[in-house]
Amino acid sequence: MTDFTATKAMFDLPEGVIYLDGNSLGPLPRAARDRVGAMMQDEWGQMLITGWNKAGWMAKPKALGDRIGRLIGAEPGHVVMGDTLSIKVYQAVASALELNPGRKVVLSDNGNFPTDLYMASGLLKSLGPDYELRVVDPEAVEDAITDEIAVLMITEVDYRTGRKHDMKALTDKAHAHGVMTVWDLAHSAGALSVDLAGCGADFAVGCTYKYLNGGPGAPAFIYVAPRHAEHVRPALSGWLGHEAPFAFDLDYRPGHGIDRMRVGTPPVIQLTALEAAMDIWDMADMASVRAKSIELCDLFIAEVEAQCPQLELASPRDPAFRGSQVSFKFDEGYAAMQALIDRGVIGDFRAPDIMRFGFTPLYIDEGDVRAAAEIVTDVMTNALWDRPEYMVRHAVT
Amino acid sequence: MTDFTATKAMFDLPEGVIYLDGNSLGPLPRAARDRVGAMMQDEWGQMLITGWNKAGWMAKPKALGDRIGRLIGAEPGHVVMGDTLSIKVYQAVASALELNPGRKVVLSDNGNFPTDLYMASGLLKSLGPDYELRVVDPEAVEDAITDEIAVLMITEVDYRTGRKHDMKALTDKAHAHGVMTVWDLAHSAGALSVDLAGCGADFAVGCTYKYLNGGPGAPAFIYVAPRHAEHVRPALSGWLGHEAPFAFDLDYRPGHGIDRMRVGTPPVIQLTALEAAMDIWDMADMASVRAKSIELCDLFIAEVEAQCPQLELASPRDPAFRGSQVSFKFDEGYAAMQALIDRGVIGDFRAPDIMRFGFTPLYIDEGDVRAAAEIVTDVMTNALWDRPEYMVRHAVT
């Protein structure tokens, strides 16, 4: 069991704020600032270039990969950190295509986060006119898996609605048709129980600034199933994926296993901030996090639906088909979210009409959920959103 | 003129160390730790998700790009930060190829840093068997530029010897033959005067953890000439390169100008550390940095050659053909470098026999150079390197 009182105390949360946007950017772990400060002063400052060995900088991407790997059911030694999620999607899809020669269709759905579609589309254009990115409705994915498909590229949890795909069922069907799978865990890692090994997933990728609380611009991770690890030819073949980076050979020879998915020099300062976040995650087990997340989401849905008939639930009601967020539709959702933020309830808005609330048991408890629901009720019942300054949309929300 | 006494005081340099490896990892700016700490506490901690707008996180990649742009002769608004140098090389070469349809050969030289060759080679393999990476000796590059070449991909300064290519002459010849140019400025930015606009360079890329002192894993930069900025189709088409990232469209439409070379979420903590370094660079002009660098390099060569006949100069003697480093060949160079590091002179070693010393006027002065040369003389004259513990090579140096 996870001691959620203990984990909550390890975050630095602003006074007067109920933060329901940890699905977009997780809050600051209390230890992160000092840890990063010490790394900068004692390692970068004093060890200088020797920090790569002496302070273990070069080993951080795999060490952190394993700590995240525990949360997503990966075999030890098969997850590595680096780059951004966009880059890791590209790497995974390109590598998966290579493992499935002769097929030229990548299947995804229109609930996927757009950058996954953009990166895959750009990749396929570069490979030639025979390649196709086929995008269907989320509900149509299962039927669209055929012997024609090379790679199934799916984000497990929809970033807008929280709708959750069945990883095991889709992976099984994919494999029955000779299809490689790439799972994007952006809204899964740290949000719900993921069992990559148990599902037989081929590739997985994810980011660490949402539920994992690594900080703005924290690096991404990539998983390659052990059965592929020594066969995959990395699409972005950088020097740190080389078998012997410091031999400075002119020809590329892939490193062993997941090491070959490394590309360039790792972002040591960001990785150090992420370590402080993973110290908290090391105290948690995903089964209890998931159970608590479902309790919190169900409670929020019940409270809001009882008081706010204007809000229509946009997330699946059955928690088995939902991630760790709750979304409501409301035509004036943008203004309503601004009104909520003004009153200390931070969620976010996704066009055209989605109000999104993330529930993160490491630092959000039942008291927070009840208090947030009361403020939502006040804003909706009294139409507090109906003020001109709440209607002005910013370029970035 | 740059006040080098003032800039030196702005770095936190360890006691008893003469740091001649700033060409590999620059030292810690004194202000960096507090600046990063404040960003973490006041922005990430207190603003949470709203930091993307309120604290200007989203704008940092272009704001920092312009500050670096000044040092490399780029037009304002045409440099953006992100990813690693390996990724930016890939993006630049792929984009340059697209602008030169019908040609299929990328020309480079064997003095290039290996990751550039690895990334280009991986890219070309993915494009098909007709594509070729042609790697010649550095001295043979000019003659190898023909109408057959699509892209000339060159690192201006050789990471081992400091040998410097003539950017203007090679770019002119390239353009005369319809060849696009990609310049890697890893050992140029902050090391010497670069005039991208004056040379008519098409693309340039570089890293910021060497001469620019951004810290371990600091992000890379990319430049696209204004004449190409609205025509280039970005090879790695991520959501932050989209015309309207927060519209979450399913289809990719490139953003305007250099914005389209952005890919994923920027590493805000690393960018904040880099800001502290750029505050120092803002006080410097490259003409005086270059003049001082040549003085320091020439002084070191003169002192070492006068005292250490065992060391053979591996760098060009004429500063016009040299970057901001001095390399010597010595069969027992690995052991000799370990002996130097033990005595507080930190340079580095590159196989098979190169001892490398970087000269960085922002924090290295003539006194440091004379003191370092004396220690080199002591180590060489008295064969202080000839001890078993100095012979043991580590995996990473």
Side-chain angles (χ1 to χ4, degrees):
Chain A
M1 285 298 294
T2 308
D3 179 349
F4 292 113
T5 307
T7 59
K8 184 169 185 171
M10 296 177 79
F11 287 93
D12 188 6
L13 300 164
E15 289 277 327
V17 164
I18 302 171
Y19 191 59
L20 305 182
D21 209 10
N23 50 315
S24 189
L25 176 70
L28 174 67
R30 281 191 195 280
R33 180 184 167 158
D34 284 351
R35 190 167 181 132
V36 166
M39 176 260 139
M40 292 178 71
Q41 195 84 19
D42 304 337
E43 299 179 7
W44 176 13
Q46 293 299 307
M47 298 181 191
L48 293 158
I49 188 69
T50 66
W52 286 109
N53 276 322
K54 274 194 201 159
W57 296 343
M58 203 51 94
K60 282 187 195 292
K62 277 187 77 177
L64 276 160
D66 273 345
R67 293 168 78 180
I68 290 168
R70 183 183 71 87
L71 304 178
I72 55 176
E75 300 87 345
H78 290 275
V79 176
V80 73
M81 315 301 304
D83 305 298
T84 63
L85 181 50
S86 297
I87 295 293
K88 282 334 202 190
V89 165
Y90 187 92
Q91 216 181 6
V93 174
S95 301
L97 276 170
E98 281 247 340
L99 290 177
N100 214 351
R103 298 192 186 190
K104 298 185 190 303
V105 180
V106 173
L107 175 65
S108 191
D109 72 68
N110 55 33
N112 206 339
F113 190 74
T115 205
D116 297 44
L117 303 176
Y118 303 161
M119 294 300 288
S121 168
L123 166 67
L124 297 177
K125 268 186 197 152
S126 78
L127 295 179
D130 298 346
Y131 285 83
E132 177 192 346
L133 175 62
R134 190 171 297 169
V135 180
V136 301
D137 289 335
E139 298 75 12
V141 166
E142 191 167 350
D143 286 346
I145 299 172
T146 64
D147 289 357
E148 188 194 5
I149 307 298
V151 177
L152 174 67
M153 174 186 78
I154 298 287
T155 295
E156 188 185 17
V157 176
D158 185 307
Y159 71 106
R160 289 166 307 187
T161 63
R163 179 194 191 283
K164 182 180 162 297
H165 278 294
D166 185 334
M167 183 185 289
K168 180 81 171 81
L170 290 183
T171 302
D172 283 349
K173 178 151 189 201
H175 289 171
H177 289 271
V179 176
M180 300 289 293
T181 55
V182 174
W183 286 96
D184 179 341
L185 306 179
H187 292 267
S188 305
L192 45 83
S193 302
V194 178
D195 185 8
L196 289 175
C199 291
D202 300 287
F203 293 83
V205 294
C207 66
T208 62
Y209 49 76
K210 298 178 184 291
Y211 292 93
L212 295 176
N213 311 309
F221 63 84
I222 187 166
Y223 163 84
V224 180
R227 65 187 175 281
H228 301 311
E230 296 291 337
H231 306 293
V232 63
R233 200 181 78 184
L236 298 167
S237 44
W239 72 305
L240 287 187
H242 193 280
E243 189 181 11
F246 292 88
F248 300 104
D249 294 333
L250 294 180
D251 291 320
Y252 183 77
R253 295 191 312 275
H256 292 295
I258 196 69
D259 276 326
R260 68 182 61 180
M261 304 309 272
R262 295 177 71 158
V263 184
T265 304
V268 179
I269 306 178
Q270 299 275 169
L271 288 165
T272 303
L274 178 59
E275 284 175 338
M278 294 311 297
D279 286 347
I280 308 177
W281 274 110
D282 287 351
M283 300 164 56
D285 71 283
M286 280 312 306
S288 61
V289 170
R290 175 63 169 160
K292 176 62 79 177
S293 153
I294 291 173
E295 271 181 50
L296 299 178
C297 289
D298 283 350
L299 175 62
F300 189 72
I301 293 171
E303 296 278 319
V304 170
E305 287 195 326
Q307 309 288 339
C308 308
Q310 310 95 321
L311 299 184
E312 178 194 348
L313 185 65
S315 298
R317 192 170 298 278
D318 181 346
F321 300 106
R322 191 178 67 211
S324 195
Q325 70 176 69
V326 172
S327 300
F328 287 99
K329 288 188 187 187
F330 179 52
D331 283 348
E332 298 296 341
Y334 182 84
M337 186 54 74
Q338 300 310 306
L340 286 173
I341 291 171
D342 245 11
R343 285 155 185 82
V345 175
I346 302 185
D348 62 20
F349 173 80
R350 287 292 177 259
D353 60 359
I354 296 278
M355 298 173 68
R356 200 169 69 150
F357 303 92
F359 295 90
T360 47
L362 290 194
Y363 54 88
I364 293 293
D365 58 26
E366 287 191 11
D368 296 323
V369 172
R370 289 185 196 279
E374 273 181 37
I375 294 171
V376 172
T377 301
D378 185 36
V379 165
M380 295 310 301
T381 307
N382 300 304
L384 300 179
W385 50 266
D386 191 11
R387 285 165 52 176
E389 66 267 35
Y390 293 150
M391 311 278 178
V392 182
R393 299 206 184 185
H394 301 288
V396 181
T397 60
Chain B
M1 286 297 295
T2 307
D3 178 350
F4 293 113
T5 307
T7 59
K8 185 170 185 170
M10 296 176 79
F11 287 94
D12 188 7
L13 300 163
E15 288 277 327
V17 163
I18 302 171
Y19 191 59
L20 305 181
D21 209 9
N23 51 315
S24 189
L25 176 70
L28 174 68
R30 281 190 195 280
R33 179 185 167 158
D34 284 351
R35 190 166 181 134
V36 166
M39 176 259 140
M40 292 177 71
Q41 195 83 22
D42 304 337
E43 298 178 9
W44 176 14
Q46 294 298 309
M47 299 180 190
L48 293 157
I49 189 69
T50 66
W52 287 109
N53 276 325
K54 273 194 203 161
W57 296 345
M58 203 51 92
K60 282 186 194 293
K62 276 187 78 177
L64 276 160
D66 273 344
R67 293 169 78 180
I68 290 168
R70 183 183 71 86
L71 304 178
I72 55 176
E75 300 87 344
H78 290 275
V79 176
V80 72
M81 315 300 304
D83 305 300
T84 63
L85 181 49
S86 297
I87 295 293
K88 282 336 204 190
V89 165
Y90 187 93
Q91 214 180 6
V93 173
S95 302
L97 276 169
E98 282 245 341
L99 290 177
N100 214 351
R103 298 192 185 189
K104 297 184 190 301
V105 181
V106 173
L107 175 65
S108 191
D109 72 68
N110 55 33
N112 206 337
F113 191 74
T115 206
D116 297 43
L117 303 176
Y118 303 161
M119 295 301 288
S121 167
L123 167 67
L124 297 176
K125 268 186 197 151
S126 77
L127 295 179
D130 298 346
Y131 286 82
E132 177 193 345
L133 175 62
R134 190 172 297 170
V135 180
V136 301
D137 289 336
E139 297 76 12
V141 167
E142 191 167 349
D143 286 346
I145 298 172
T146 65
D147 290 357
E148 188 194 5
I149 307 298
V151 177
L152 174 67
M153 173 186 77
I154 299 286
T155 296
E156 189 185 16
V157 176
D158 186 307
Y159 72 106
R160 288 166 308 188
T161 63
R163 180 194 190 283
K164 182 181 163 298
H165 278 294
D166 185 334
M167 184 186 288
K168 180 82 172 81
L170 291 183
T171 302
D172 283 348
K173 177 149 189 201
H175 289 172
H177 290 271
V179 176
M180 301 289 293
T181 55
V182 174
W183 287 97
D184 179 341
L185 305 179
H187 292 268
S188 305
L192 45 83
S193 303
V194 178
D195 185 9
L196 289 176
C199 291
D202 300 288
F203 293 83
V205 294
C207 65
T208 62
Y209 49 77
K210 298 178 184 292
Y211 292 93
L212 296 176
N213 311 310
F221 63 83
I222 187 166
Y223 162 84
V224 180
R227 65 187 176 280
H228 301 311
E230 297 291 337
H231 306 294
V232 63
R233 200 181 80 184
L236 298 168
S237 44
W239 72 304
L240 288 187
H242 193 280
E243 189 181 10
F246 291 89
F248 300 105
D249 294 333
L250 294 181
D251 291 319
Y252 183 78
R253 296 192 312 275
H256 292 294
I258 196 68
D259 276 326
R260 66 181 63 180
M261 304 309 272
R262 296 178 70 158
V263 184
T265 304
V268 179
I269 306 178
Q270 299 275 170
L271 288 165
T272 303
L274 177 59
E275 284 176 337
M278 294 312 297
D279 286 347
I280 308 176
W281 274 110
D282 287 350
M283 299 165 55
D285 71 285
M286 280 313 306
S288 60
V289 170
R290 175 63 167 160
K292 176 62 80 176
S293 152
I294 291 173
E295 272 180 48
L296 299 178
C297 290
D298 284 349
L299 174 63
F300 188 72
I301 293 171
E303 296 279 319
V304 170
E305 287 195 325
Q307 308 288 339
C308 309
Q310 310 96 321
L311 299 184
E312 178 195 347
L313 185 65
S315 298
R317 192 170 298 278
D318 181 345
F321 301 106
R322 192 178 65 211
S324 195
Q325 71 177 68
V326 172
S327 300
F328 288 99
K329 288 188 188 188
F330 179 51
D331 283 346
E332 297 297 340
Y334 182 84
M337 187 53 74
Q338 300 312 305
L340 285 173
I341 291 171
D342 244 12
R343 285 157 184 82
V345 175
I346 301 186
D348 63 19
F349 173 79
R350 288 293 178 258
D353 60 358
I354 296 278
M355 297 172 69
R356 201 168 68 150
F357 303 91
F359 294 90
T360 47
L362 290 195
Y363 53 88
I364 292 294
D365 59 26
E366 287 190 13
D368 296 323
V369 172
R370 289 185 197 279
E374 273 181 37
I375 294 170
V376 172
T377 301
D378 185 34
V379 164
M380 296 309 301
T381 308
N382 299 303
L384 299 179
W385 51 266
D386 191 11
R387 286 165 51 175
E389 66 268 33
Y390 292 149
M391 311 280 178
V392 182
R393 299 205 185 184
H394 301 288
V396 182
T397 61

